[in-house]
Amino acid sequence: MKAAIWAGVNEVAVEEVDEPQLLNDHDVILKISKTVTCGSDLHLIGGYIPAMRAGDVLGHEFTGTVVERGKAVTKVQVGDRVVVPSFIACGHCWYCSQELYSLCDNGNPNPGITEGLWGQSPGGCFGYSHAMGGFAGSHAEYMRVPYADVGCFVVPDAVSDTRALFASDSVTTGWTGAHLGGTKPGDVVAVWGAGAVGQMAARAAILLGAEQVVVIDRLPERLAQVRQHIGAEAVDYSTTDVVAELRERTGGRGPDVCIEAVGMEAHSTGIQGAFDQVKQQLRLQTDRPSAVREAIRACRKGGSVFVLGVFAGPVDKFPLGAAMNKGLTVRGAQQHGQRYVPEILAHMESGALTTEHLATHTMPLSQAAEGYRIFKEKEDGCVRTVFEPGG
Amino acid sequence: MTGPLQQVLGKAAEFGGTALAKLQHTHVPGVGQASTTEPREVAAARWRAVTVFRDDLAGPFPELEALGPDLEVRMQPAPGDRGTELSARFHGTPTDEQVGELRAALRRTKQLAEVGEVLRVDPQPHGTRKATLQGAALEGAAARAPKEGVL
């Protein structure tokens, strides 16, 4: 079958590879209908997470149809059209019982790598390096999904593949940030980053009752999407002092909840941006945390800062003094998608949550290299490139 | 694995596995976790433990029994309804390889008790595996990963 692979730093290729097989009794095999680029893939492709092996199949946000199932699978049927969260969770450990699915004790077969790096191992993730389990990703014609009864969710007939696709990661990640960031009715929520995850965090905050939601980015086409499709306010950080703007829009308080949806390759202006770029290129820091710094600065006293963007290692100039003295709650997580997908699909079915506008570019999987190039360069207003393996 | 290239790649894989074993004992700020490096006999004699989310956990545990008669196993309830703490250690001073086998066996035992299966990842689809030092080192680290970590 065809699959899009990581072939080396800044190299994506499409090759013929073996088809996946059932390895565990709780597995299913999916025929992939749609699979989409994610900003976090760019960290892998660019070599910022050095746990990719040449030949690894990329992709972790997808929909498909069940074509084969293991003998212990009971809920999911062959022929079901499903969406699957990108994190692999067993559904039986204590973390899964607490609905903290991305922290699953059993979903990562390589726990020694992440335990060595971070002290504990989160669950595994499709197509996201050997540190996260080394699972083949979704940019392929077929894909194996372990723990299928926990991870596969049947898509309602009224919800299209393109809409459901983003329930795999963008919406679930955004929902995780808005919910665990503590968004309550009446809150003011600020979101850094107007990519798919940032937009979906903003929409989740609105659906959770936030009274005012502000999204910060620099790309006019994404800020326009925020206004048109999300129903949130938009601020261009390249022309606006974000902290001053947020203070003015919130009666001098600052946002109650600040959600960072940018990650380790954040862009920023001025000396701070140059400082982080140089240090990262010299490998003196692995991650560029400029949006997190600004969120901590902007947040109201006693507020909440939620880190949704992907980080991998230590960061420099983290404003711990501000976080401590302002009494902030700083929290982060990969997505706990299995907790939120049913609620998200219901919102998608009712029309309260739409995602089609994120799929600015659609192409056959054979054009994956070009699809990632357009996505990385944000060319032609690209927000996400969707690949159709059958196309 | 006899040619010069294969030998170099083999060394790189070995390096990857060794580097992973050393990772948690580094003292670079922000990386690693050990406050100090304990004498080998002290570190090797520690109980290795997993908490299994079952309050009715009971043996036999074939994965642990396979490690031989020198292994001591104990169970006790975990606080806060978190299940059962399953701990094991070798009598005497085990080798690093024995400790690695114990970590992997405890993780498999936990998976069997909680899920009923041990999650596999290989074989699976992949494209061309280029023969690079970084790739070989990563393969060595990944092969060693089930036996390393904080247990």
Side-chain angles (χ1 to χ4, degrees):
Chain A
M1 67 172 184
K2 278 192 176 53
I5 62 154
W6 185 81
V9 174
N10 293 321
E11 276 185 70
V12 174
V14 176
E15 292 188 357
E16 283 291 326
V17 305
D18 291 340
E19 291 190 2
Q21 50 186 290
L22 298 172
L23 297 179
N24 286 107
D25 289 347
H26 292 94
D27 292 354
V28 295
I29 304 293
L30 298 187
K31 182 176 173 54
I32 299 296
S33 54
K34 290 183 188 289
T35 177
V36 61
T37 60
C38 174
S40 63
D41 292 334
L42 300 178
H43 311 323
L44 299 178
I45 293 168
Y48 291 97
I49 297 177
M52 291 295 283
R53 180 75 177 98
D56 285 348
V57 181
L58 291 161
H60 59 263
E61 187 163 16
F62 56 97
T63 53
T65 301
V66 178
V67 294
E68 193 178 355
R69 66 174 198 165
K71 62 187 179 189
V73 177
T74 57
K75 295 180 189 168
V76 184
Q77 309 294 326
V78 170
D80 282 350
R81 189 170 65 105
V82 298
V83 62
V84 182
S86 57
F87 265 75
I88 298 162
C90 76
H92 292 86
C93 68
W94 182 80
Y95 288 98
C96 288
S97 81
Q98 302 299 301
E99 298 187 296
L100 300 170
Y101 290 98
S102 71
L103 304 180
C104 174
D105 269 342
N106 298 316
N108 185 348
N110 294 335
I113 298 177
T114 38
E115 285 185 12
L117 285 171
W118 303 327
Q120 305 285 347
S121 174
C125 181
F126 296 109
Y128 213 79
S129 89
H130 292 265
M132 304 305 275
F135 293 94
S138 58
H139 292 347
E141 293 177 70
Y142 296 92
M143 181 186 182
R144 168 199 175 221
V145 175
Y147 306 139
D149 282 334
V150 181
C152 292
F153 294 85
V154 176
V155 178
D157 289 343
V159 177
S160 70
D161 281 347
T162 303
R163 184 173 293 188
L165 170 64
F166 295 97
S168 179
D169 193 302
S170 307
V171 190
T172 34
T173 301
W175 209 278
T176 299
H179 182 243
L180 295 187
T183 304
K184 299 185 299 296
D187 275 353
V188 179
V189 176
V191 180
W192 275 255
V197 171
Q199 289 192 34
M200 291 301 113
R203 189 62 195 157
I206 291 169
L207 292 170
L208 289 167
E211 190 154 314
Q212 183 183 11
V213 177
V214 184
V215 181
I216 299 135
D217 205 300
R218 74 184 197 286
L219 299 171
E221 63 274 16
R222 296 189 181 194
L223 294 171
Q225 287 194 339
V226 165
R227 295 187 188 96
Q228 183 181 348
H229 297 284
I230 303 302
E233 301 169 27
V235 169
D236 180 348
Y237 74 79
S238 67
T239 58
T240 306
D241 177 339
V242 172
V243 176
E245 182 74 18
L246 289 172
R247 199 174 291 132
E248 186 177 337
R249 291 189 190 210
T250 59
R253 300 184 307 278
D256 302 288
V257 177
C258 295
I259 299 172
E260 187 274 352
V262 179
M264 59 162 62
E265 293 180 70
H267 293 270
S268 60
T269 54
I271 292 172
Q272 177 180 235
F275 171 84
D276 284 327
Q277 285 271 8
V278 168
K279 286 204 75 170
Q280 191 175 37
Q281 293 305 319
L282 293 175
R283 299 297 188 256
L284 294 173
Q285 67 175 355
T286 60
D287 305 7
R288 301 199 299 257
S290 47
V292 180
R293 293 191 193 112
E294 193 166 79
I296 287 173
R297 181 86 181 170
C299 193
R300 76 155 166 84
K301 292 182 286 185
S304 166
V305 174
F306 202 94
V307 182
L308 271 185
V310 171
F311 289 86
V315 298
D316 203 357
K317 303 291 180 286
F318 183 81
L320 187 57
M324 181 267 159
N325 285 287
K326 289 170 65 175
L328 302 184
T329 299
V330 180
R331 189 171 181 179
Q334 297 279 6
Q335 60 143 318
H336 303 308
Q338 288 83 347
R339 175 176 188 168
Y340 301 117
V341 170
E343 187 177 0
I344 287 166
L345 287 175
H347 282 301
M348 286 180 161
E349 192 170 18
S350 75
L353 184 57
T354 58
T355 59
E356 288 85 346
H357 67 282
L358 301 172
T360 50
H361 295 70
T362 299
M363 50 182 66
L365 183 63
S366 56
Q367 296 177 28
E370 175 65 3
Y372 268 106
R373 190 195 65 75
I374 293 170
F375 175 57
K376 181 180 180 181
E377 301 300 327
K378 301 177 176 68
E379 195 174 288
D380 188 31
C382 184
V383 176
R384 288 293 184 93
T385 306
V386 176
F387 301 123
E388 295 177 328
Chain B
M1 294 286 281
T2 53
L5 177 61
Q6 280 72 24
Q7 285 178 10
V8 171
L9 294 176
K11 289 288 182 194
E14 198 177 303
F15 168 78
T18 305
L20 184 62
K22 299 291 182 197
L23 186 57
Q24 62 181 307
H25 299 295
T26 59
H27 298 269
V28 179
V31 180
Q33 58 188 346
S35 57
T36 186
T37 301
E38 293 175 340
R40 196 181 164 283
E41 62 276 15
V42 174
R46 282 190 176 279
W47 289 96
R48 312 285 162 178
V50 289
T51 298
V52 180
F53 190 49
R54 284 183 62 165
D55 54 15
D56 60 346
L57 184 70
F61 304 114
E63 301 283 336
L64 298 176
E65 288 171 8
L67 298 180
D70 287 342
L71 196 71
E72 184 182 357
V73 177
R74 74 178 183 193
M75 286 188 290
Q76 62 185 38
D81 296 324
R82 282 169 168 77
T84 305
E85 296 173 358
L86 175 64
S87 310
R89 66 178 177 185
F90 286 98
H91 298 298
T93 303
T95 64
D96 289 347
E97 184 57 30
Q98 282 179 300
V99 173
E101 294 287 354
L102 176 54
R103 290 190 187 103
L106 281 166
R107 289 172 176 140
R108 289 195 300 268
T109 301
K110 173 179 163 73
Q111 290 188 55
L112 289 168
E114 289 182 339
V115 192
E117 68 182 19
V118 176
L119 182 60
R120 294 176 57 193
V121 70
D122 289 316
Q124 63 171 343
H126 65 80
T128 306
R129 298 294 198 200
K130 288 178 190 164
T132 64
L133 291 177
Q134 184 267 346
L138 177 60
E139 284 185 0
R144 184 73 199 172
K147 296 180 181 177
E148 291 299 337
V150 296
L151 288 188

